[in-house]
Amino acid sequence: MRIRLFAALAALCLSAVAAEARTVRWSASGDPNTMDPHSQNVGTVTMVLQQIYDPLIQRSRTLGLAPGLAVSWEQVEPTRWRFRLREGVRFHEGQTFTAEDVVFSIDRAKQPTSNFGIYVDTIESAVAVDPMTVDVITRVPDPILPNKIASVFMMSRSWSEANGATRPQNTRQREEIHTTRNTNGTGAFRLANREPDVRTVLARHADWWGWREEGTGNVTEIVFRPISSDATRIAALLSGEVDFVLDPPLQDLQRLRSAQGVSVLEGPEVRTIFLGMDQFRPELLYSDVRGRNPLSDLRVRRALYQAIDIQAIQRVTMRGQSMPTGTLFPEQVNGYAREEDVRLPFDAARARALLAEAGYPNGFEITLDCPNNRYINDEQICQAIAGMWSRVGVRTRLNAMPLGPFFAKIQREDTSIYLFGWGVPTLDALYSFQSLLASRAGGQQGDGIWNYGGYSNARMDALISRMRTETGDARQAAIREALNIFREDVPLIPLHHQMIPWAMRSNISIPHMANNQPYFRWAVVN
Amino acid sequence: MRAFFDSDLWWSFTRSRITVASAIVAFICIGGAFMAPLLAPHDPFDLASLQLMDAFTPPIWTAEGNPTYPLGTDDQGRDVLSAIMYGARVSLFVGFAATIFATCVGVLVGLLAGYLGGTADALLMRIADIQLTFPSILVALLVDGIVRAALPREVHDQIALFVVVFAIGISEWPKFARTVRGSTLVERNKEYVLAARVIGLSKAKIMLQHVLPNVLGPVLVIGTLNLALAILAEATLSFLGVGVPPTQPSLGTLIRIGNDFLFSGEWWITIFPGVALIVMVLSVNLLGDWLRDALNPKLR
Amino acid sequence: MLAVSFISFAMFTYVGDPVAIMLGQDFTEAQRAALVAELGLDQPFFVQFLKFIGNAVQGEFGLSYRLSRPVAELIAERAPATLELALCAAVIAMAVGVPMGVYTGLYRHSILSRFFLTFSLIGVSLPTFLIGILLILIFAVALGWLPSFGRGDVVRLGWWTTGFLTVSGLKALILPAITLGVFQLTLIMRLVRAEMMEVLRTDYIKFARARGLSNRAINFGHALKNTLVPVITIAGLQLGAIIAFAIVTETVFQWPGMGLLFIQSVGAADVPVMAAYLMLIALVFVTINLIVDLLYYAVDPRLRIGKGAH
């Protein structure tokens, strides 16, 4: 232990002497709960692991697809994609990266304990053609495979086998495996030290293949410390104890903007906030209307929609940090159509008229379920909406709770109306339609898994299966029609796309990413 | 009444200016809180009356102040003054109810232990000791957790207020029990009790009619000081997010919500409820202190 | 202890649904059912409880749902932070509280006494979280003198990590320790004051005075010594309270101790961690109680002669 002490002191002295040391002290509210690259498909885990591991195809600064560990890829047959791998790549512990590792990693992501199944769901198998070429064979033609494979990190087969980590850590079971706390990637940084919930230190991997490319930064060390309290996190940034805050609270932006030495980087996120509604029960669970379900009446859905003053929410609740929307996903997603992104106008009088027309001249009572720590200002949005609805006669009781109980509740379909948000990691429309609006009964695995309102529309289902297999213009046309149905039928009430400001010390520059991932390989510390 | 004004208590009360001041403050707090529906300029619970566009209005004396909202508004456009009055109502209700609950349990246990003595005494006091070692906040967290676990959420929200009352009350009763037991032990051997026993009065009657009135002084003191503690405990629980339901925000809840806006310049959302809480607790504490000194003849 | 373990297990069995949190955004019904079975959450309540007790007796609390690491290890990792913080708070409370109490007890009407008393009243009336927030606002944000969160740099001594050996560690300790200590400080001061005043009017002191002992000898040799018994009791019991109240302070200051772990676990419905924490705290209280009883015995000579005083 004394040696450790000296080592720590020596390291301290060294870092003080080395002029080239460029450390970024980074903070966010949550800590990654594992270091296993295929165990948890959650932003807080990915934000650290993407610094350490590379996928075959990586995201460019504009979230386009760019060569990663694969230098090129093509669809050689409808069900066969061929990837040519990058030469001379080594893992942090020295192993050479080959096709074997790709086959292993894809197989690993397909294991039952993986949380990344949705990205490899169409893959039949991966085959090594030669040491630098891999073929991925899909069960059905999958036009968006590259978008999905961009979320699958590559691991070393020999390292994983040597450490008994050939399948993803099962976080559900009482299990800890080597990959829970150890990493061996090919990425720009390697894991130097990790104390869960306290600090995670990443050191620059000097041999990373990508440093040769243009536009890379100069960060030599990343120290990540989670701070869950908003006020504390901001205080730490203001007092200079932290250099970069991924999720500054909106109300503090004004102060941060005017603070000396702090800058705020603003940008959109690929995440849309909306309200889901029970449309399948004959009678709502949480309402005073008996014998019928008001929410299955399009007029009522429209009335609730038009009662919402989204501009007020944007200006006051979100402090300008939101993009009100009338559609299902933002423009970064393939299939987005500006003409379909039109909201029903805010019109309280019209909302009251619609309610009266539908047979509720005196409104009704309803409970709005809402998470209070999942989306930006989620509970405040719900409070504002509850007030707006109450004003048109829909007496709204707000039931806000932490995400744990909230998700459990809506997954039991134990809700009448709820606030929800949906991100699109594949940046393709299918992901949203399939999960949120496909009928739950029948269909393919994954259809309607988040369709807790029980929306069901045969035309929509047909369009979704066309999106799944068709390519080119036919596919775009299917998405376009589905978006139109979404707008006309109001299966969900869209609210806004989230904006995700990042706050940092002024001496740091880093490209803002709509997937809310800071890529420190591109960060520059002055 | 006349007797009261002639009493030592009244005399010592009027003699201390601080006490009179704190009594007035406490009276204003309690009065304002309990009459909130009549006095408050707005009804913060009437969702339909909230104007989101009025949110974050600063207090009246600043440049952007709005005379409709003397102490400004919060993030939903609620009037801070009204929210404080309604919030103080919840805080005081929990404080009083928890203290009364603790007093009843404590006095009963203390009387029984002190008067009966023997095994009953040892057992009851052992329980009190164990209970006393557990900090109130932990007991409250435990009780709250059990109730949360045992009841579905909807039911829990309806009775949450009483859960908090119970949780805080149950953690405070041993103080009363100990004091009452001590006094009872002294009283028990006094001649009037012996006399009462000789003429054959029942134990219950002796305890309630003869011993109880004589041990009430200390109970009153502890009760007052405990009221302050209970209000603080409720605020702390609500600050941690496990107290009263957010639909009935207490001062602690208001502070927790306002805390998010402390750095952003909207200080009034948290500072005013904070000040209200401090003033309330301080005045109750001052009254308690005075009462203790006044009732303790040795200190005069 | 058994009661606490039962309660701690029972209270969290239904609090939240760890399943939903662990599954993330994409999963199927089959995966969900499999997970429930894996966790044993489909078994009857008492079966789960018996398993829990069986493991707990062996110091085995299982793996944290949230962090996938052994709970015992997590707690051992966090304990030093909380204990160091609690110790500092207790030292502050005693070192400042006792002299202030003695002074105000002896010189009841001096200006300084009034000042101390006012201070103590405000201290008793200020909730801990408000003190913490105000201190951060003043010393970390406005003045920038002290860090607002965390422990600073720590040095590892075996399994124990300490912040006492580095400057940043010591600086990080100041604000949280004061926050945590203030309430106890005022409590101790008021207690010492009351006891002093009580003791000073006893016959015993009057005799001492009559014997012509100096004021100094009387005040410190006799009076203070006699006030120590209740002070030790309360101080000991308050150490438990300090550890419990650390939940609040650690939340405000993001102090990486057991209290923060507990609150984070509540948020994630991480049953094993919460249950283990509560049992540990119960154990701490039982231990403290025992120590206080023993100290009592050592300090108060009357107790050594017989149980007469009790």
Side-chain angles (χ1 to χ4, degrees):
Chain A
M1 72 195 187
R2 180 165 292 175
I3 293 170
R4 272 210 192 142
L5 181 68
F6 283 126
L9 283 174
L12 263 177
C13 298
L14 273 180
S15 63
V17 174
E20 283 305 305
R22 307 274 190 184
T23 300
V24 174
R25 292 161 301 165
W26 160 34
S27 182
S29 55
D31 193 59
N33 56 358
T34 178
M35 288 286 110
D36 190 301
H38 303 136
S39 178
Q40 291 284 289
N41 181 17
V42 181
T44 41
V45 174
T46 314
M47 71 186 179
V48 169
L49 288 181
Q50 50 92 348
Q51 322 284 352
I52 300 171
Y53 286 98
D54 291 321
L56 285 177
I57 299 173
Q58 60 177 4
R59 292 284 172 190
S60 70
R61 291 176 189 222
T62 52
L63 289 185
L65 300 179
L69 290 176
V71 288
S72 68
W73 57 94
E74 57 177 332
Q75 197 169 9
V76 288
E77 289 168 27
T79 57
R80 179 183 292 263
W81 284 84
R82 176 158 295 173
F83 294 85
R84 298 214 182 276
L85 306 185
R86 194 177 288 277
E87 306 264 352
V89 173
R90 281 177 180 279
F91 286 94
H92 297 155
E93 293 186 8
Q95 301 89 340
T96 309
F97 168 73
T98 67
E100 284 296 302
D101 298 315
V102 178
V103 172
F104 168 78
S105 299
I106 290 176
D107 283 348
R108 193 173 187 269
K110 288 179 65 177
Q111 301 268 342
T113 54
S114 161
N115 198 213
F116 284 66
I118 191 153
Y119 300 118
V120 292
D121 58 346
T122 55
I123 296 180
E124 176 76 42
S125 65
V127 184
V129 179
D130 64 57
M132 285 296 124
T133 311
V134 173
D135 276 4
V136 172
I137 297 146
T138 56
R139 282 195 302 273
V140 287
D142 186 351
I144 56 165
L145 183 80
N147 295 59
K148 295 175 176 173
I149 216 80
S151 297
V152 180
F153 292 124
M154 293 295 131
M155 300 176 72
S156 161
R157 174 179 183 167
S158 58
W159 177 80
S160 305
E161 283 174 353
N163 292 300
T166 52
R167 56 173 182 78
Q169 174 205 0
N170 189 347
T171 44
R172 302 139 197 184
Q173 216 175 22
R174 294 147 189 258
E175 161 175 277
E176 180 182 357
I177 63 175
H178 195 67
T179 46
T180 309
R181 277 195 273 176
N182 298 283
T183 65
N184 181 27
T186 57
F189 296 90
R190 61 183 168 73
L191 185 64
N193 182 15
R194 172 155 165 81
E195 295 168 58
D197 266 352
V198 181
R199 79 169 71 205
T200 303
V201 181
L202 307 178
R204 186 186 177 102
H205 176 50
D207 295 331
W208 183 51
W209 54 269
W211 291 125
R212 295 185 290 271
E213 298 190 350
E214 218 175 297
T216 49
N218 65 354
V219 175
T220 57
E221 187 190 37
I222 306 167
V223 180
F224 173 74
R225 286 202 272 181
I227 306 177
S228 57
S229 147
D230 279 349
T232 319
R233 197 160 64 251
I234 290 313
L237 179 67
L238 288 172
S239 60
E241 294 160 73
V242 156
D243 300 315
F244 179 88
V245 170
L246 186 66
D247 45 3
L250 298 185
Q251 63 272 11
D252 292 324
L253 291 180
Q254 201 51 48
R255 179 186 161 94
L256 289 173
R257 281 193 203 101
S258 59
Q260 196 89 41
V262 174
S263 60
V264 175
L265 199 58
E266 290 171 29
E269 183 186 15
V270 188
R271 183 179 296 279
T272 307
I273 307 297
F274 57 81
L275 297 163
M277 295 166 281
D278 178 351
Q279 293 154 63
F280 72 96
R281 282 196 178 82
E283 189 179 283
L284 289 177
L285 294 177
Y286 301 101
S287 167
D288 60 351
V289 179
R290 291 284 152 253
R292 53 182 175 159
N293 177 347
L295 296 177
S296 56
D297 187 327
L298 175 62
R299 287 169 297 192
V300 175
R301 297 204 296 275
R302 289 188 168 214
L304 294 179
Y305 192 157
Q306 296 204 271
I308 295 172
D309 181 358
I310 198 74
Q311 296 304 331
I313 291 179
Q314 194 237 6
R315 226 178 76 190
V316 179
T317 313
M318 304 304 288
R319 313 231 178 189
Q321 296 293 312
S322 71
M323 298 166 71
T325 184
T327 194
L328 188 58
F329 41 75
E331 59 182 341
Q332 294 89 343
V333 175
N334 171 48
Y336 173 82
R338 188 159 302 282
E339 307 83 75
E340 298 296 341
D341 191 354
V342 182
R343 282 188 71 83
L344 291 176
F346 162 56
D347 186 342
R350 175 87 189 117
R352 268 188 290 265
L354 278 168
L355 284 172
E357 211 177 290
Y360 307 97
N362 299 317
F364 53 89
E365 211 175 273
I366 200 158
T367 300
L368 170 60
D369 291 315
C370 188
N372 62 15
N373 59 355
R374 178 64 189 90
Y375 311 110
I376 300 176
N377 286 0
D378 38 17
E379 186 177 355
Q380 289 91 321
I381 297 172
C382 289
Q383 284 183 6
I385 289 174
M388 291 165 182
W389 283 350
S390 298
R391 234 165 291 146
V392 298
V394 179
R395 296 171 299 281
T396 312
R397 208 179 78 86
L398 178 59
N399 183 21
M401 57 197 126
L403 73 133
F406 173 77
F407 278 90
K409 191 171 194 296
I410 66 164
Q411 280 164 12
R412 288 195 306 269
E413 293 173 351
D414 181 22
T415 179
S416 292
I417 193 158
Y418 58 95
L419 182 95
F420 208 68
W422 192 250
V424 193
T426 61
L427 296 184
D428 185 88
L430 175 62
Y431 189 84
S432 296
F433 280 114
Q434 182 190 359
S435 312
L436 299 173
L437 296 175
S439 299
R440 303 195 72 183
Q444 287 203 12
Q445 187 193 26
D447 274 1
I449 48 173
W450 290 89
N451 180 5
Y452 293 114
Y455 175 72
S456 181
N457 178 329
R459 183 71 195 138
M460 180 66 88
D461 289 343
L463 289 167
I464 290 171
S465 55
R466 275 176 57 195
M467 283 179 221
R468 201 172 274 129
T469 50
E470 280 178 21
T471 53
D473 289 345
R475 186 167 191 272
Q476 296 306 98
I479 297 175
R480 181 64 188 272
E481 193 185 334
L483 280 177
N484 191 262
I485 294 178
F486 176 81
R487 187 153 72 96
E488 292 298 325
D489 215 15
V490 195
L492 309 166
I493 298 176
L495 296 173
H496 55 242
H497 309 306
Q498 278 192 173
M499 303 272 278
I500 36 167
W502 295 353
M504 61 203 84
R505 305 297 302 177
S506 309
N507 63 340
I508 292 178
S509 58
I510 184 169
H512 188 279
M513 302 293 290
N515 58 1
N516 208 15
Q517 291 290 336
Y519 291 92
F520 284 105
R521 67 190 76 151
W522 295 324
V524 176
V525 182
N526 296 311
Chain B
M1 203 63 196
R2 200 172 167 84
F4 175 73
F5 284 111
D6 286 340
S7 71
D8 286 354
L9 210 56
W10 180 251
W11 179 78
S12 105
F13 176 75
T14 49
R15 208 185 50 149
S16 161
R17 249 176 296 163
I18 286 187
T19 311
V20 175
S22 60
I24 292 170
V25 170
F27 183 77
I28 292 175
C29 285
I30 294 169
F34 279 88
M35 311 256 280
L38 298 175
L39 297 176
H42 302 266
D43 179 359
F45 296 114
D46 179 13
L47 286 175
S49 75
L50 295 185
Q51 286 300 331
L52 191 56
M53 286 319 237
D54 283 345
F56 301 119
T57 306
I60 192 164
W61 56 86
T62 57
E64 300 102 72
N66 177 342
T68 328
Y69 308 111
L71 297 184
T73 59
D74 71 357
D75 61 323
Q76 293 292 332
R78 259 187 297 260
D79 177 41
V80 171
L81 177 64
S82 310
I84 289 176
M85 291 172 77
Y86 278 86
R89 207 159 109 105
V90 177
S91 292
L92 279 171
F93 170 77
V94 172
F96 272 113
T99 305
I100 291 170
F101 175 68
T103 313
C104 292
V105 176
V107 167
L108 193 68
V109 171
L111 273 179
L112 283 175
Y115 192 79
L116 297 179
T119 330
D121 180 24
L123 189 71
L124 288 171
M125 281 304 108
R126 197 67 225 152
I127 295 173
D129 277 352
I130 293 171
Q131 169 89 69
L132 204 59
T133 55
F134 274 85
S136 51
I137 184 166
L138 208 68
V139 177
L141 277 174
L142 265 169
V143 172
D144 186 76
I146 296 167
V147 176
R148 240 168 240 266
L151 296 173
R153 211 190 141 74
E154 287 68 34
V155 184
H156 177 260
D157 268 8
Q158 281 156 24
I159 61 158
L161 211 57
F162 300 99
V163 174
V164 178
V165 167
F166 177 78
I168 295 174
I170 202 74
S171 62
E172 304 286 4
W173 68 266
K175 287 182 206 160
F176 294 93
R178 288 192 138 195
T179 313
V180 171
R181 172 181 172 269
S183 312
T184 310
L185 279 179
V186 176
E187 298 294 326
R188 185 175 68 167
N189 297 323
K190 289 210 173 139
E191 276 148 18
Y192 75 94
V193 176
L194 292 176
R197 221 185 283 171
V198 170
I199 59 172
L201 286 180
S202 74
K203 278 183 179 176
K205 202 156 191 183
I206 298 175
M207 275 195 272
L208 292 178
Q209 286 193 346
H210 298 276
V211 181
L212 184 61
N214 283 300
V215 300
L216 274 185
V219 168
L220 195 60
V221 174
I222 301 180
T224 313
L225 292 174
N226 211 65
L227 174 63
L229 279 180
I231 293 173
L232 280 184
E234 184 278 326
T236 305
L237 285 180
S238 294
F239 179 77
L240 289 176
V242 293
V244 298
T247 44
Q248 285 165 294
S250 72
L251 290 177
T253 323
L254 294 177
I255 295 170
R256 171 169 60 102
I257 295 167
N259 191 23
D260 289 343
F261 304 105
L262 196 56
F263 291 109
S264 58
E266 285 117 4
W267 49 270
W268 58 89
I269 303 177
T270 188
I271 293 294
F272 289 135
V275 168
L277 178 68
I278 295 171
V279 166
M280 211 160 79
V281 175
L282 196 61
S283 62
V284 173
N285 266 332
L286 280 167
L287 281 179
D289 264 13
W290 158 77
L291 204 57
R292 183 187 50 206
D293 292 351
L295 288 182
N296 190 346
K298 286 187 278 185
L299 290 181
R300 270 204 214 123
Chain C
M1 281 300 284
L2 195 69
V4 173
S5 64
F6 180 77
I7 290 167
S8 58
F9 174 78
M11 71 181 279
F12 293 118
T13 304
Y14 300 106
V15 165
D17 186 354
V19 179
I21 299 168
M22 281 188 285
L23 281 168
Q25 192 172 278
D26 306 297
F27 67 89
T28 63
E29 271 310 307
Q31 278 175 332
R32 185 185 158 81
L35 175 54
V36 168
E38 262 174 42
L39 291 172
L41 294 178
D42 53 346
Q43 288 171 7
F45 179 81
F46 71 93
V47 175
Q48 291 187 44
F49 177 63
L50 282 182
K51 262 197 198 158
F52 170 81
I53 284 290
N55 291 333
V57 170
Q58 301 157 34
E60 173 65 58
F61 291 98
L63 237 61
S64 153
Y65 289 155
R66 187 170 61 102
L67 299 166
S68 295
R69 296 187 47 208
V71 172
E73 202 179 298
L74 275 175
I75 292 205
E77 208 173 86
R78 300 303 193 86
T82 297
L83 294 180
E84 284 189 358
L85 176 63
L87 184 72
C88 285
V91 168
I92 290 178
M94 289 295 277
V96 182
V98 172
M100 272 166 77
V102 172
Y103 182 86
T104 48
L106 289 178
Y107 310 102
R108 282 173 55 197
H109 300 294
S110 83
I111 293 174
L112 199 58
S113 281
R114 276 167 194 272
F115 174 76
F116 283 162
L117 281 178
T118 315
F119 166 81
S120 89
L121 255 177
I122 294 172
V124 171
S125 309
L126 266 175
T128 310
F129 55 90
L130 260 186
I131 300 178
I133 292 167
L134 292 176
L135 286 180
I136 289 183
L137 207 55
I138 297 169
F139 291 100
V141 177
L143 298 174
W145 290 349
L146 296 166
S148 58
F149 79 103
R151 281 185 89 187
D153 294 320
V154 291
V155 174
R156 195 172 277 279
L157 303 169
W159 63 274
W160 185 274
T161 56
T162 178
F164 287 148
L165 297 178
T166 62
V167 177
S168 73
L170 288 173
K171 273 170 93 173
L173 248 175
I174 298 174
L175 293 185
I178 291 177
T179 306
L180 190 52
V182 163
F183 187 80
Q184 312 300 334
L185 189 160
T186 53
L187 208 71
I188 288 179
M189 172 192 147
R190 287 156 74 91
L191 182 79
V192 172
R193 170 175 177 266
E195 288 294 331
M196 269 312 254
M197 283 157 57
E198 200 79 15
V199 170
L200 282 177
R201 62 180 73 248
T202 54
D203 293 343
Y204 158 72
I205 296 292
K206 285 182 190 148
F207 280 130
R209 252 183 243 287
R211 264 164 58 200
L213 288 176
S214 73
N215 268 339
R216 201 188 154 79
I218 293 170
N219 292 341
F220 294 97
H222 293 82
L224 183 60
K225 201 172 159 202
N226 272 288
T227 62
L228 277 183
V229 178
V231 170
I232 288 175
T233 318
I234 297 293
L237 296 179
Q238 289 303 317
L239 193 62
I242 287 180
I243 293 176
F245 269 101
I247 294 177
V248 182
T249 311
E250 287 179 9
T251 307
V252 175
F253 285 94
Q254 214 62 29
W255 188 261
M258 296 184 291
L260 188 62
L261 181 70
F262 178 75
I263 286 288
Q264 286 168 339
S265 303
V266 171
D270 195 344
V271 183
V273 177
M274 293 186 286
Y277 173 80
L278 285 172
M279 289 181 69
L280 186 78
I281 290 287
L283 184 69
V284 168
F285 285 137
V286 172
T287 319
I288 287 177
N289 253 6
L290 194 70
I291 295 174
V292 167
D293 276 354
L294 291 177
L295 273 180
Y296 225 88
Y297 194 71
V299 175
D300 192 340
R302 282 171 297 183
L303 286 182
R304 260 173 274 164
I305 301 164
K307 292 217 64 165
H310 240 314

